[in-house]
Amino acid sequence: MEFQVVKRSKSFASFVPQLLGLYFIAFCNASIKDLNVDLQLHRGQKTLAVNDAISIIIDDTQGLGRRFEGIGALSGGGATSKLLVNYEKKLRDQILDYLFKPNFGASLQILKVEIGGDVQSTDGSEASHMHNSWDENYSRGYEWWIMKEAKQRNPDIKLYGLPWGFPGWLGQGTFSPYTNPEVTADYVIRWIHGAKTVHNLTIDYVGIWNEYKYNITYIKTLRKMLDLRGFEKTMVIGTDAYWGVIPDLIKDKSLADAIYAVGSHYPGTNSPLDAQKLGKPLWASEDYSTFNDEIGGGCWARLLNQNYVNGLLTATLSWNLIGSYYDHLPYFSSGLMTAAQPWSGHYNVSTPIWVSAHTTQFVSIGWKYFMHGSGVGKLPRGGSYVSLTNKAKNQLTIVIETMTHNHSKCVRPPLPPYEVSPQNITIVLKGSFTSISRLNVWYSKLGFDGAEDQMFQRKEPLEFENGQATVSLGLDEIFTLTTITSGNKGSYPKPPEPKPFPLPYSDNFEGHHVSEDPYNLTPQAGCFEIVKSQDASHGLVVRQTVLNAPIESCPWSLTFPIAIIGNYNWTDIAVEVDFEIPTVNGTKGVFVAARVDRGSCPTRSAQGIFFSVFPKTDKFVVSNDLAQTMILKQGHLEIDISTGWHKLSVTISGGKASGHIDSKKIFTVDMPRKPQNGWAAIGTDGFGYADFDNLRITNP
């Protein structure tokens, strides 16, 4: 596609014949150099004459609008960055640069992370810093690591923590974290304090409870205790759900004083008038949630502009940051980019990375939007534009998008119908900006129907004459017009090609550090972390560490801690692992499984082949489901496994499933009709400690 511009004279009507001649030359040889205005040539579309342009006024004379507070993304909610840490450092650094490095890729300005609560919160469960009231550990999980990597690249990035659930002990016998507001506030503030003292991370924002009912007393208590503990600058975002808190904020001044910004999820670019009248910042504190293909890029482009145009939302955060979790878990590839194969090193830099760059590389937190009708608004033939400037008013950025309806649908909420057609707009600079003679141009066009994406391309500057210039807009395009000169499309060599999960696979966990998540094992319930075994011959092992049912994010209490691994498409497979159940706080049973067909909240109804053993009762159960409602075989064990380490294995081959303990065959059954494929897994029957070592997965 050619990208040409045409000079606009003072006496424009008399220039039309010359314009047509220039346009013809441009179409033939694409070589016009004497340019003031960007005209886009559209294959298969009628190009509008420049004198059809409608003026868009950019003017600060009547003042400016709201403060821009950032574009960001969310690691967590849950376990969405699980596989990223497993990449080799060189490739991992490349991925992190695309996300966080200023003037390179997405250049994100806010990083929101899950405050792990030992709960299943979408694609897995993340470890709490306090499994119990007597336990405190700030080395668990990978959110500390990713926050430090983000800060290393961009010291100005804002950090935001939010619980999706809580460890069960906080409920004090209930399933509510609000039973004792002081205890729960202390739990959250300890996480903020640990971030600072252990990792030198300042948490800028903290939320209440993701998409769950808020508690007014708790919010006020949290604010009061933050101030008392020296975290006056950590702002509370309320309430990471929808707009239900607005009536309470209107009638309760002390509640309103406790909350810095109102954070709504998936607002559909709108906000209630009552919310706007509050005068508080309004955030889309979770948004997007859409696959990162061209339509996902269109969704993100539309949101980043129209969240302010329609709803006065001044910060927008994508769920999620990066799709680093197994395919066939919910919302696979819903991150701004995807990196789900540490074993191959493959990753995918997707369209939302460059869509983000159209704003983040040219606007800083603290800039202000222009007023509606004077730099912010809807385009006459569909699409939208926003304009922003810095405090000194010596920089200007205008972002324009023309995303069509079917090419910008987000997963949620539903998108009402609308039309977009090609159009010319004349940008008229007034007020503090009349002296601007040129704006730098960055351009993207999402490719559909076989066309290639054209993402974040730098074009010739747009020249202004008498404060005016005309731009021709096509469909599914993004323009950034800016005085900023530092924009850059970063790049690295093409990453390795994708490969299936490797077989045979083995892990003795000796390459880990204590408290780390084990590589590739992805907990769907409970928490599996590296500990040092009391048996020196086993060294480092994986322990399921949750003793009581947590206050769940999912709408049910899953009583079978489980961690999946591998390839969802596996059929015939052999899985073995060593296990030991500690005498103190030990679980009642452990299992090994194959062909596990689901994760996330539906894990409770997962099917597969589950071989469970119960050392205290010398019992075994073979079931076609995790919940043990579909028993294939059960019986009494003739070997003693009540103490020490033992090997447990299950094999599926040739229409049969068999299981062994310490190389002794325990059962053989015919394979049920379903499931036909699935992951390998290990886990426990009920909460309580169990240790695992020497995991091995092979073709049978």
Side-chain angles (χ1 to χ4, degrees):
M1 177 176 288
E2 300 171 351
F3 192 87
Q4 303 297 329
V5 295
V6 176
K7 187 174 182 180
R8 179 183 178 91
S9 71
K10 296 179 182 179
S11 178
F12 188 73
S14 64
F15 187 67
V16 170
Q18 299 175 52
L19 173 65
L20 294 175
L22 287 174
Y23 178 76
F24 177 76
I25 294 171
F27 183 79
C28 294
N29 60 25
S31 62
I32 294 177
K33 302 296 183 183
D34 183 20
L35 305 175
N36 272 356
V37 178
D38 282 338
L39 261 184
Q40 182 69 49
L41 304 182
H42 298 281
R43 294 179 181 174
Q45 297 175 0
K46 180 181 178 181
T47 303
L48 302 175
V50 173
N51 60 355
D52 290 337
I54 298 175
S55 293
I56 300 298
I57 309 299
I58 312 297
D59 186 5
D60 67 334
T61 304
Q62 301 301 316
L64 294 171
R66 297 195 174 202
R67 180 179 184 269
F68 173 76
E69 298 202 297
I71 306 301
L74 203 163
S75 174
T80 52
S81 304
K82 173 69 177 73
L83 298 176
L84 176 59
V85 70
N86 304 349
Y87 275 75
E88 66 169 276
K89 186 178 187 305
K90 177 182 177 181
L91 296 171
R92 193 175 64 201
D93 285 346
Q94 294 175 9
I95 295 165
L96 292 164
D97 284 352
Y98 280 117
L99 293 168
F100 300 118
K101 187 177 179 179
N103 299 313
F104 190 86
S107 305
L108 294 174
Q109 298 158 323
I110 305 173
L111 172 60
K112 181 177 178 180
V113 303
E114 178 172 354
I115 300 176
D118 297 334
V119 302
Q120 165 57 251
S121 53
T122 298
D123 289 287
S125 62
E126 298 197 30
S128 171
H129 58 290
M130 295 180 70
H131 294 317
N132 301 283
S133 60
W134 38 264
D135 165 74
E136 202 167 352
N137 185 321
Y138 298 97
S139 298
R140 293 179 182 133
Y142 34 85
E143 303 298 0
W144 310 111
W145 167 79
I146 204 165
M147 285 191 285
K148 287 189 287 188
E149 293 289 339
K151 274 288 187 182
Q152 178 181 323
R153 287 162 173 80
N154 178 10
D156 294 328
I157 196 169
K158 302 294 186 181
L159 300 178
Y160 177 175
L162 174 68
W164 263 249
F166 301 86
W169 64 270
L170 283 170
Q172 299 184 3
T174 74
F175 280 95
S176 170
Y178 305 133
T179 301
N180 189 326
E182 289 82 5
V183 172
T184 300
D186 175 73
Y187 165 84
V188 171
I189 293 169
R190 284 174 184 263
W191 183 86
I192 296 170
H193 182 262
K196 186 63 177 178
T197 57
V198 178
H199 300 287
N200 195 29
L201 294 169
T202 297
I203 304 301
D204 300 284
Y205 310 108
V206 65
I208 308 304
W209 187 7
N210 183 76
E211 296 179 3
Y212 269 72
K213 185 177 180 179
Y214 60 90
N215 180 279
I216 292 174
T217 301
Y218 171 72
I219 294 172
K220 294 177 182 179
T221 300
L222 177 62
R223 177 69 272 163
K224 179 180 178 180
M225 290 178 63
L226 283 166
D227 294 344
L228 290 172
R229 301 278 184 89
F231 297 107
E232 301 94 337
K233 293 183 179 180
T234 299
M235 299 292 101
V236 175
I237 308 298
T239 59
D240 275 298
Y242 305 99
W243 299 110
V245 73
I246 299 301
D248 285 322
L249 292 174
I250 292 171
K251 66 185 181 184
D252 188 336
K253 184 180 183 303
S254 61
L255 175 63
D257 289 344
I259 289 178
Y260 168 73
V262 182
S264 179
H265 288 193
Y266 308 99
T269 75
N270 295 302
S271 63
L273 183 59
D274 284 348
Q276 298 176 17
K277 289 180 178 178
L278 281 173
K280 287 188 172 294
L282 307 178
W283 288 18
S285 55
E286 183 177 323
D287 216 336
Y288 178 65
S289 192
T290 300
F291 305 108
N292 55 30
D293 54 13
E294 284 70 25
I295 290 177
C299 159
W300 190 230
R302 181 172 53 79
L303 293 179
L304 293 187
N305 264 26
Q306 295 193 28
N307 271 350
Y308 189 77
V309 172
N310 298 336
L312 295 179
L313 298 154
T314 56
T316 299
L317 281 70
S318 163
W319 187 86
N320 53 63
L321 171 71
I322 185 165
S324 284
Y325 43 96
Y326 286 125
D327 195 359
H328 289 87
L329 287 172
Y331 299 99
F332 183 71
S333 290
S334 288
L336 296 179
M337 60 184 290
T338 300
Q341 287 201 357
W343 50 87
S344 73
H346 180 74
Y347 64 85
N348 179 36
V349 183
S350 308
T351 57
I353 291 292
W354 306 118
V355 170
S356 304
H358 272 280
T359 299
T360 57
Q361 290 200 22
F362 309 106
V363 180
S364 298
I365 292 175
W367 284 36
K368 283 194 172 182
Y369 287 96
F370 282 65
M371 300 289 285
H372 281 64
S374 300
V376 170
K378 292 289 188 67
L379 294 168
R381 297 187 179 181
S384 67
Y385 63 101
V386 294
S387 306
L388 301 100
T389 188
N390 62 343
K391 184 177 181 179
K393 295 186 180 180
N394 59 5
Q395 301 286 4
L396 172 67
T397 292
I398 305 167
V399 184
I400 303 167
E401 60 82 20
T402 60
M403 297 301 123
T404 56
H405 180 274
N406 290 345
H407 290 167
S408 66
K409 289 182 179 179
C410 304
V411 167
R412 50 185 163 170
L415 182 62
Y418 66 88
E419 296 293 332
V420 182
S421 58
Q423 58 195 302
N424 293 327
I425 61 169
T426 296
I427 298 172
V428 182
L429 302 179
K430 293 187 175 183
S432 303
F433 308 94
T434 53
S435 62
I436 290 177
S437 61
R438 63 165 49 189
L439 291 175
N440 300 303
V441 178
W442 289 84
Y443 169 79
S444 292
K445 183 176 181 62
L446 296 164
F448 295 95
D449 302 322
E452 291 186 5
D453 295 327
Q454 301 175 55
M455 300 306 298
F456 205 57
Q457 298 178 350
R458 186 164 192 169
K459 299 296 184 179
E460 290 296 319
L462 177 63
E463 305 286 346
F464 283 76
E465 187 171 315
N466 296 330
Q468 298 187 35
T470 298
V471 181
S472 180
L473 307 176
L475 304 180
D476 301 317
E477 296 180 339
I478 313 167
F479 287 83
T480 296
L481 314 176
T482 182
T483 54
I484 300 293
T485 59
S486 55
N488 174 56
K489 186 175 183 179
S491 65
Y492 284 111
K494 185 179 179 181
E497 292 298 315
K499 295 179 182 178
F501 192 95
L503 286 178
Y505 176 85
S506 63
D507 194 346
N508 64 8
F509 310 113
E510 296 303 321
H512 297 69
H513 295 99
V514 170
S515 300
E516 278 187 340
D517 276 40
Y519 299 152
N520 301 321
L521 271 170
T522 300
Q524 298 300 299
C527 178
F528 293 74
E529 64 187 67
I530 302 297
V531 301
K532 187 173 183 180
S533 174
Q534 293 184 346
D535 185 335
S537 66
H538 279 270
L540 298 180
V541 300
V542 173
R543 172 170 289 179
Q544 197 297 115
T545 55
V546 177
L547 298 180
N548 301 289
I551 301 171
E552 288 281 5
S553 174
C554 291
W556 40 259
S557 179
L558 182 63
T559 57
F560 294 88
I562 178 174
I564 62 172
I565 186 170
N567 190 328
Y568 179 82
N569 295 314
W570 280 342
T571 54
D572 286 8
I573 202 77
V575 188
E576 69 176 29
V577 68
D578 295 346
F579 75 91
E580 180 185 50
I581 298 179
T583 55
V584 178
N585 290 326
T587 185
K588 63 180 179 179
V590 300
F591 65 81
V592 64
R595 289 196 190 178
V596 178
D597 70 346
R598 69 201 73 177
S600 189
C601 291
T603 301
R604 183 176 179 84
S605 58
Q607 292 184 246
I609 295 296
F610 297 85
F611 179 25
S612 303
V613 296
F614 303 87
K616 292 182 180 179
T617 60
D618 293 329
K619 178 184 175 183
F620 77 90
V621 173
V622 183
S623 60
N624 192 203
D625 66 330
L626 175 62
Q628 298 179 14
T629 65
M630 305 164 65
I631 304 298
L632 301 176
K633 193 167 186 176
Q634 58 185 326
H636 182 77
L637 293 171
E638 297 179 356
I639 57 176
D640 182 13
I641 58 171
S642 59
T643 59
W645 283 90
H646 301 275
K647 188 178 297 293
L648 186 66
S649 69
V650 65
T651 300
I652 299 175
S653 180
K656 301 283 187 181
S658 59
H660 293 73
I661 298 177
D662 296 338
S663 301
K664 178 179 176 62
K665 182 177 284 189
I666 304 300
F667 75 90
T668 299
V669 297
D670 292 331
M671 274 299 300
R673 186 172 61 90
K674 292 182 179 180
Q676 296 291 321
N677 51 271
W679 296 288
I682 60 174
T684 62
D685 190 297
F687 293 101
Y689 292 160
D691 294 346
F692 298 92
D693 199 9
N694 299 321
L695 175 64
R696 182 169 174 80
I697 308 170
T698 60
N699 288 310

